Amino acid sequence: MNNVTQNFNFYHGNDPRELVQTFGSPLYVYNERILRERCRDIINLSTYPKFAVNYAVKTNSNLSLLKIIREEGLRTDISSEGEAVAALAAGFLPEEMLFILNGVGAEELAFASKIGSAESQYDTLSATVSVDSLSQLETLGRVNPGGRIFLRFNSGIGGGHHEKVVTGGDGTKFGIMPEYIPQVKELLRKYDLKLIGINQHVGSYIEGELYLEGVEAILRLARQFENLEYIDFGGGFMVPYHKQNGEGPIDLRAIGKRLDAMFFDFAKNYGKELTFMVEPGRYIVAECAVLLGTVHSLKNCGTKKYAGTDLGFSVFKRPTVYDAHHDIDIYRDPARGEGRGHLHADELSASDSKQDIFCGPMEKINIVGNQCETGDFIARDRELPPLREGDVLGILDAGAYGYSMACQYNHRARPAEVLISQDGEVRLIRRRDTYEDMLANMQGL
Ligand SMILES: *Cc1c(COP(=O)(O)O)cnc(C)c1O
């Protein structure tokens, strides 16, 4: 089995089993070097001079990670008031935020419109708000007449790794269909709103070809508006979730070349210098994290084998919600293993680093969590070397929609998060919930 974390020197000399001993199990472990690399991949996607990258904060909103992302020159895509508060705490300015809102109340629209205005505590810089229905446009007009706004369109292109993440195309809840453009223009006039930008988001985990199709479609639509300053093409770039099978990254260089051609061409014909934006979430943060957990029980049930772990869906929801696949590395105490067990990365020479960590036959096993639900699983029928109680598992590429979707179901504390800095130092960036934290909001006893 291909030990991915070792090949990538993910732990930078730290031993994952020791991390779990120090910070508790389960534990989210982030690698700063990989996070910065992914930010730079996208910043360098296009050579167009006014190219901007908005990081989708919903993907992972840990403040330490947000700070690094800001240092790398990204701005933010904000989907709620709470995310804006987090982004501000991490140092982002209102002018570095685009609120992309969907089905929110007048209060949240007012907050988003005013966060950068003179009345707010945050000087006169201005955040921008995008809405995606005629009814939200009308509400936004009432709370912020004369404002500079974005609109989210549905250009008819959609896709994604699961039906739950397809956000464009026929029948999804997002975006204004182009046939409503006459009514849009009427509402813009009625409230004296200035449409400075349009945006879309086709879906999550999509192929380059589909992304480019989406770009073409929204550029065609953009020609129907005269005074745009921004066009935002959304996120959704794929990450390789099957590294143990040798899957490599998407070809951003090829996508970038095609984007450049379209950007320069459109800007020339539009007669105005536009800013073109992309909005990745997953691509930025997925690969910089491994979620560590511990095998506590092993059993057979009929024809199936189960490994019970502390990785319930309150800790990591993607397999349960999206049937998502995540590769799993195994870390075993060498003293307990037959043969060599796992040695940590830096003890192994490059030639050692592949097949031979666990020898012997593989077996199919279901890796499940400790939650009282049958749908609580991390991997189904996964071929792995026979597991043992006490093995530490590493769920790879867990940084996107991992902690940000964690919850306290079964009154289980959400795990701690640690960051491995570029020089290999490990820093706690969020402590584990305490039971006191979890009871603190309840009143009226
Ligand atoms: C979730 C979301 C993104 C990020 O999607 P990824 O697939 O994580 O890149 C971008 N834009 C909008 C509007 C979103 O809702």
Side-chain angles (χ1 to χ4, degrees):
M1 204 176 71
N2 193 345
N3 187 314
V4 173
T5 41
Q6 199 165 278
N7 297 347
F8 284 82
N9 190 18
F10 183 91
Y11 297 105
H12 207 295
N14 297 283
D15 183 332
R17 285 173 298 110
E18 276 170 24
L19 292 177
V20 158
Q21 270 159 23
T22 310
F23 298 99
S25 179
L27 176 71
Y28 277 94
V29 183
Y30 297 90
N31 179 304
E32 177 178 354
R33 168 180 57 83
I34 297 173
L35 174 59
R36 288 188 187 274
E37 280 172 12
R38 292 300 165 272
C39 291
R40 289 169 199 176
D41 291 347
I42 298 283
I43 286 280
N44 295 323
L45 179 63
S46 170
T47 63
Y48 181 80
K50 289 176 116 184
F51 174 68
V53 182
N54 290 353
Y55 166 66
V57 171
K58 70 167 194 262
T59 319
N60 188 320
S61 54
N62 185 293
L63 298 188
S64 298
L65 305 185
L66 288 178
K67 275 192 172 158
I68 293 169
I69 290 167
R70 182 163 191 274
E71 280 171 19
E72 292 295 332
L74 282 73
R75 308 156 20 101
T76 55
D77 153 28
I78 302 283
S79 72
S80 74
E81 187 172 330
E83 282 180 9
V85 171
L88 287 167
F92 283 99
L93 304 171
E95 65 175 352
E96 294 164 345
M97 297 180 192
L98 172 60
F99 284 79
I100 300 188
L101 300 175
N102 174 263
V104 300
E107 254 177 51
E108 201 162 347
L109 286 171
F111 168 87
S113 304
K114 287 192 180 133
I115 184 173
S117 75
E119 308 104 84
S120 84
Q121 55 177 307
Y122 311 107
D123 69 36
T124 56
L125 298 169
S126 194
T128 318
V129 183
S130 172
V131 291
D132 78 341
S133 65
L134 294 176
S135 89
Q136 293 261 280
L137 178 55
E138 180 106 43
T139 313
L140 181 59
R142 280 203 305 273
V143 303
N144 188 28
R148 288 157 52 84
I149 68 156
F150 270 56
L151 288 175
R152 176 170 180 172
F153 281 99
N154 181 341
S155 66
I157 309 291
H161 64 81
H162 188 281
E163 65 174 283
K164 287 175 188 159
V165 301
V166 176
T167 50
D170 206 22
T172 65
K173 76 163 183 164
F174 295 103
I176 298 172
M177 298 303 289
E179 69 231 43
Y180 293 107
I181 287 179
Q183 289 95 315
V184 162
K185 289 190 170 172
E186 209 174 293
L187 283 171
L188 292 174
R189 269 195 301 278
K190 179 172 169 191
Y191 293 103
D192 190 28
L193 294 166
K194 295 175 189 58
L195 183 66
I196 60 164
I198 62 173
N199 60 294
Q200 75 171 1
H201 177 60
V202 162
S204 204
Y205 192 76
I206 57 176
E207 300 273 358
E209 273 316 310
L210 188 68
Y211 193 85
L212 292 164
E213 248 181 76
V215 171
E216 259 172 22
I218 195 89
L219 286 176
R220 269 198 301 279
L221 211 144
R223 298 203 178 90
Q224 302 190 44
F225 300 97
E226 278 149 27
N227 294 308
L228 298 178
E229 297 165 29
Y230 303 90
I231 303 176
D232 171 2
F233 304 102
F237 300 101
M238 297 174 86
V239 302
Y241 281 120
H242 295 267
K243 294 186 180 72
Q244 287 177 336
N245 281 343
E247 187 188 6
I250 53 167
D251 190 352
L252 282 183
R253 193 178 282 242
I255 295 172
K257 261 195 182 153
R258 306 249 310 264
L259 286 177
D260 271 358
M262 290 195 260
F263 290 172
F264 283 103
D265 184 59
F266 185 89
K268 197 172 81 203
N269 292 319
Y270 195 71
K272 225 178 138 176
E273 276 232 334
L274 287 143
T275 298
F276 294 114
M277 305 194 288
V278 298
E279 216 169 64
R282 182 191 311 279
Y283 188 88
I284 301 294
V285 288
E287 294 173 276
C288 72
V290 173
L291 169 60
L292 297 177
T294 307
V295 176
H296 289 307
S297 72
L298 293 161
K299 74 190 264 189
N300 294 319
C301 195
T303 57
K304 295 209 178 270
K305 269 191 188 323
Y306 285 94
T309 72
D310 52 12
L311 296 165
F313 73 68
S314 64
V315 178
F316 193 60
K317 282 210 176 52
R318 296 197 71 253
T320 294
V321 178
Y322 307 118
D323 286 319
H325 170 97
H326 284 264
D327 283 346
I328 297 174
D329 275 357
I330 305 167
Y331 313 112
R332 180 170 296 163
D333 182 349
R336 294 178 61 245
E338 51 195 351
R340 309 177 44 202
H342 173 75
L343 299 176
H344 75 65
D346 300 340
E347 295 172 45
L348 292 168
S349 67
S351 62
D352 280 339
S353 71
K354 278 193 178 156
Q355 298 298 332
D356 55 347
I357 297 160
F358 290 90
C359 338
M362 310 268 266
E363 64 179 20
K364 274 196 181 161
I365 190 155
N366 293 281
I367 303 192
V368 297
N370 49 14
Q371 231 110 45
C372 306
E373 299 274 345
T374 303
D376 177 30
F377 71 96
I378 290 287
R380 284 198 162 126
D381 290 328
R382 183 69 60 89
E383 290 261 350
L384 288 174
L387 292 175
R388 306 207 188 151
E389 287 179 24
D391 282 348
V392 170
L393 302 183
I395 311 303
L396 307 187
D397 306 312
Y401 310 104
Y403 192 97
S404 68
M405 293 178 103
C407 67
Q408 297 170 332
Y409 186 55
N410 283 182
H411 266 250
R412 290 204 176 273
R414 288 169 305 176
E417 298 179 290
V418 297
L419 177 68
I420 301 175
S421 71
Q422 293 182 100
D423 53 17
E425 213 176 292
V426 179
R427 187 158 58 88
L428 183 67
I429 57 172
R430 174 158 19 203
R431 64 172 169 79
R432 175 178 300 269
D433 290 331
T434 64
Y435 296 127
E436 291 75 38
D437 291 339
M438 293 163 70
L439 299 180
N441 285 346
M442 287 188 255
Q443 301 190 15
L445 295 178

